[in-house]
Amino acid sequence: MRYTEQSLPVAVVSGPVAGLEADVVAFAAFEGEGVGPVASPDAAAGGRIAAAIGSREFTGKLGTTFVTPLSASDWRPARVMLVGAGKRSGCDMMAIRRAAATAALAARERRWRRVAFALPAVLPLSDEAQAAAEGLTLAAHYAGIYKSDADARPTVIEGLVAVPEASTSDDSASASRAASRGYILAACSNLARSLANEPANVMTPRAFSEIAIQIATESGLKADVLDEERLAGLNMGLMLGVARGSAEPPRLVVLRYQPARPATTSVLGLVGKGVTFDTGGISLKDPERMHLMKTDMSGGAAVLAAMKAIAALKPDIAVAGVVPLVENMPGSRAMRPGDVVRGAEGKTVEVLDTDAEGRLILADALWYARQLGATHLVDVATLTGAVGIALGRTTTGLFGSPDSWVSLVGRTANRAGDRAWALPVFEDYREQLRSDIADLANVGGRPAGSITAALFLKEFTGGLPWAHLDIAWTAWADEAQPWQPKGPTGVAVRTLAELACAFEAWPERAA
Ligand code: BES
Ligand code: MN
Ligand code: ZN
């Protein structure tokens, strides 16, 4: 499998929107407002916008759209779209991103190609331009690559971000920079979505590692792929234990970004769970939703895609990405419940449930990130079903220590559009992981299942500042939204890349 980009870079345009060469020009419209803010397109549309607002055919609710042709001869776009952005008072980057994605998806549905999105001028211009570029680019993700019917393929959208007419050329220049940032972040989110969507017969640990090498070569990252021999040489018994049940050999992908002139001695270590398929192993899962376990490498895909974004955004901090890759299968050599395995750091683990495999491979990978010199750690993993019971389908579980590091990661995530919320990792929960015969058990029972999983990982962080994102229920959208189809979401890519770029705001290396 070779990954090729589906989206086109977004261009920032200035001057009157009436003069834009576009199939449709979309205006964000806010709930409870009259035609005032969109008076100019309304005049060109013969008053049909005012009529739609007056009759409440269009209310401005987030994710709704209204399209009407433009008849005035002084308007070049063929039609205008109003796209609901919710209440003006609640407008943030999330609302702009979603409105732009809604507009582009609605246009793509109708096979229009050039979509202009007029910024509403509510937020700082560069924030709006970045969020709009992200939304337009996210709409380019396409899931049907294995369909034979070429006509089913959607048109490739060309996105234009129109800055307000009054903008200075300095404003436009900074909007352009912000939009190209947004494009990079969203195109890399789409990369993660494509990888997560690949079936597990294609996306094996070896296939993932080959794609990682391809991406590293194209982006100027250093790549190293450890095979089972090298993993054995490093005594990574937790990772090798999970891999035993599969005919597919494991891999550990290491990607390194090294800036020319680092502005800090800190090194960000990103670790992503790469289980290319999770049957549960001998502790076999129910068949009902098992097919979705092809997405159990979403955390690894997020780390790979974030590394690609970081290589393009070029922050002045070194970053190491580590992705442990295994297939969790119940083969005849598979680990049995009750087996004891030893990790690279020397700790022994009693594997009471072979379906709690993510924490085992992450434990060895977190240790390896420390050997590479990481000073700050973030891991991303589809780790526990329990996180969805706590936080539902929209919010990623956030864990870690110290609080200053965790809250920075949380703020970065929420700005990046990856909602995250912190849950505690009180030491009191640790006794649930007690084993009668080994240092640790790999499961802590049903209560607080996401927290005990996080505490298990913490054992392998060597006391470094560490944050853990449990994306088990946010990596995959079960239902379509106007701004996001059903399927992989690319969650955490933008968070990780933005975190590297924001290193100047990091808390002091905390104890
Ligand atoms: N990959 C799963 C977690 C998961 C569940 C991801 C649902 C996406 C959707 C993970 O490896 C797992 O099986 N976790 C177990 C842990 C349990 C055995 C302690 C779970 O959540 O049931
Ligand atoms: Mn599992
Ligand atoms: Zn899993």
Side-chain angles (χ1 to χ4, degrees), residues 237-244 280-283 328-329 334-343 347-361 363-364 433-444 456 460:
L238 302 182
M239 187 172 163
L240 289 167
V242 178
R244 283 179 67 88
I282 297 298
S283 314
N328 189 23
M329 296 285 275
M335 276 195 304
R336 293 140 291 237
D339 282 3
V340 174
V341 281
R342 187 190 296 273
K347 289 184 180 144
T348 54
V349 177
E350 185 182 12
V351 180
L352 294 175
D353 190 326
T354 64
D355 199 8
E357 83 297 341
R359 62 197 74 183
L360 298 175
I361 67 169
D364 276 338
L433 293 173
R434 222 173 20 216
S435 159
D436 292 334
I437 63 169
D439 295 332
L440 281 166
N442 78 326
V443 289
F456 183 94
F460 299 88

Side-chain angles (χ1 to χ4, degrees), residues 16 75 92 97 107 121 127 221 238 243 248 291 315 326 344 386 401 404 441 465 475:
W75 278 66
D92 55 7
R97 191 184 293 113
D127 285 359
L221 295 164
L238 302 182
E248 287 292 336
H291 64 283
V326 296
S401 65
S404 57

Side-chain angles (χ1 to χ4, degrees), residues 140-378:
H141 168 70
Y142 175 57
I145 60 167
Y146 291 103
K147 289 182 192 288
S148 306
D149 179 5
D151 290 342
R153 241 158 222 277
T155 49
V156 180
I157 296 276
E158 281 180 64
L160 304 176
V161 170
V163 298
E165 261 181 64
S167 306
T168 64
S169 61
D170 277 3
D171 288 347
S172 298
S174 77
S176 285
R177 282 193 299 275
S180 63
R181 239 185 114 68
Y183 166 74
I184 290 165
L185 291 166
C188 289
S189 304
N190 288 347
L191 162 62
R193 293 161 90 184
S194 296
L195 298 176
N197 212 23
E198 285 294 330
N201 61 325
V202 174
M203 189 57 73
T204 60
R206 281 178 295 176
F208 188 109
S209 64
E210 279 156 24
I211 295 167
I213 289 174
Q214 178 208 329
I215 288 169
T217 309
E218 288 165 2
S219 355
L221 295 164
K222 274 200 236 135
D224 186 18
V225 175
L226 283 66
D227 61 12
E228 56 273 54
E229 231 172 280
R230 284 177 70 195
L231 298 174
L234 291 164
N235 301 314
M236 291 206 183
L238 302 182
M239 187 172 163
L240 289 167
V242 178
R244 283 179 67 88
S246 171
E248 287 292 336
R251 292 290 182 265
L252 185 84
V253 165
V254 179
L255 301 170
R256 307 207 67 167
Y257 166 75
Q258 184 64 45
R261 264 172 249 88
T264 165
T265 53
S266 296
V267 177
L268 178 60
L270 305 177
V271 178
K273 172 176 173 181
V275 175
T276 60
F277 196 79
D278 182 11
T279 64
I282 297 298
S283 314
L284 198 64
K285 286 183 181 294
D286 286 345
E288 204 186 326
R289 283 168 64 84
M290 199 200 277
H291 64 283
L292 288 176
M293 287 301 121
K294 72 174 186 179
T295 67
D296 212 19
M297 34 57 74
S298 297
V303 167
L304 170 55
M307 291 303 293
K308 177 175 165 152
I310 288 166
L313 296 171
K314 299 194 178 2
D316 293 328
I317 181 173
V319 187
V322 179
V323 182
L325 293 149
V326 296
E327 189 181 51
N328 189 23
M329 296 285 275
S332 67
R333 301 181 62 80
M335 276 195 304
R336 293 140 291 237
D339 282 3
V340 174
V341 281
R342 187 190 296 273
E345 195 174 4
K347 289 184 180 144
T348 54
V349 177
E350 185 182 12
V351 180
L352 294 175
D353 190 326
T354 64
D355 199 8
E357 83 297 341
R359 62 197 74 183
L360 298 175
I361 67 169
L362 289 168
D364 276 338
L366 285 164
W367 171 82
Y368 196 67
R370 282 155 54 204
Q371 308 314 299
L372 295 172
T375 60
H376 295 69
L377 297 167
V378 182

Side-chain angles (χ1 to χ4, degrees), residues 24-29 38 49 58 64-68 70 79-83 99 102-108 110 112 115-116:
V24 61
V25 53
F27 291 85
V38 283
I49 292 177
F58 177 79
T64 59
T65 54
F66 172 76
V67 179
T68 181
L70 285 168
R79 32 189 105 67
V80 62
M81 182 190 293
L82 291 194
V83 52
T102 301
L105 281 173
R108 190 171 82 154
R110 296 167 172 88
W112 301 331
V115 182

